[in-house]
Amino acid sequence: QVRLMESGGGSVQAGGTLRLSCRASGYTTRWNCVAWFRQAPGSEREGVAAINTANTYTHTADSVKGRFTVSRDDVTTVSLQMSNLKPEDTAMYFCAVKLDLSCGDLWSSPHHYNTWGQGTQVTVSS
C-alpha cells in the first residue's frame, strides 16, 4: 500500500510562486505514475500535471503549461513547482498515484488513480 502526503500549500499574491511536495510511504516501487490534480469549490477535479517515475516523462495541462513544472525529487517525493500564479489557480491540490501503470494518454482522468493524498490548499489573491 502506498500512502501520500502533500505539503507546501499556502496563500500568495498573483504572480507569486509555490512549491508543492508529495511524499510517499509504503510500497513506493509500484508508484509508476504520480499526478497532481486540483479542485476548486463547485468544480470538477482537474488534472494539472503528471510524471512517469520510471523515465521522468511528464504531462502538463494546457491551462498551466509554462507556469507549472512537475518533477521527481527523490525516490519518495514528487514536486509541483508553480510560478506566475493566478487567482484561477486557487484550489485544493491533490497528488495521486497509479500503481504499476504508466501515466499514458488518460493521465488527467482522476478515475484511473488508485491512491490519493489529503490535499493542500493553494489560494492566490489578486
Side-chain angles (χ1 to χ4, degrees), residues 33-37 47-52 56-61 70-71 78 80 96 103-104 107-108 113:
C33 173
V34 183
W36 287 95
F37 287 80
V48 175
I51 184 168
N52 284 300
T56 68
Y57 186 82
T58 61
H59 304 265
T60 308
V70 60
S71 63
V78 167
L80 182 69
C103 296
W107 70 268
S108 61
Y113 290 82

Side-chain angles (χ1 to χ4, degrees), residues 4-93:
L4 305 175
M5 180 170 290
E6 304 92 339
S7 62
S11 297
V12 297
Q13 291 190 325
T17 63
L18 282 173
R19 185 177 180 88
L20 306 183
S21 292
C22 175
R23 184 175 298 277
S25 60
Y27 293 104
T28 56
T29 54
R30 296 179 59 197
W31 70 331
N32 284 23
C33 173
V34 183
W36 287 95
F37 287 80
R38 66 185 180 185
Q39 189 167 22
S43 299
E44 294 186 353
R45 195 162 290 193
E46 174 192 13
V48 175
I51 184 168
N52 284 300
T53 58
N55 57 17
T56 68
Y57 186 82
T58 61
H59 304 265
T60 308
D62 288 342
S63 58
V64 302
K65 197 162 290 184
R67 301 189 297 120
F68 290 14
T69 302
V70 60
S71 63
R72 186 179 185 185
D73 296 343
D74 55 46
V75 294
T76 60
T77 308
V78 167
S79 293
L80 182 69
Q81 180 70 39
M82 307 186 295
S83 59
N84 191 21
L85 283 160
K86 303 176 181 181
E88 52 263 42
D89 295 319
T90 295
M92 183 72 78
Y93 283 71

Side-chain angles (χ1 to χ4, degrees), residues 2 4 22 24 30-35 95-99 112-116:
V2 175
L4 305 175
C22 175
R30 296 179 59 197
W31 70 331
N32 284 23
C33 173
V34 183
C95 66
V97 166
K98 282 189 191 184
L99 300 177
H112 295 272
Y113 290 82
N114 310 96
T115 303
W116 293 81

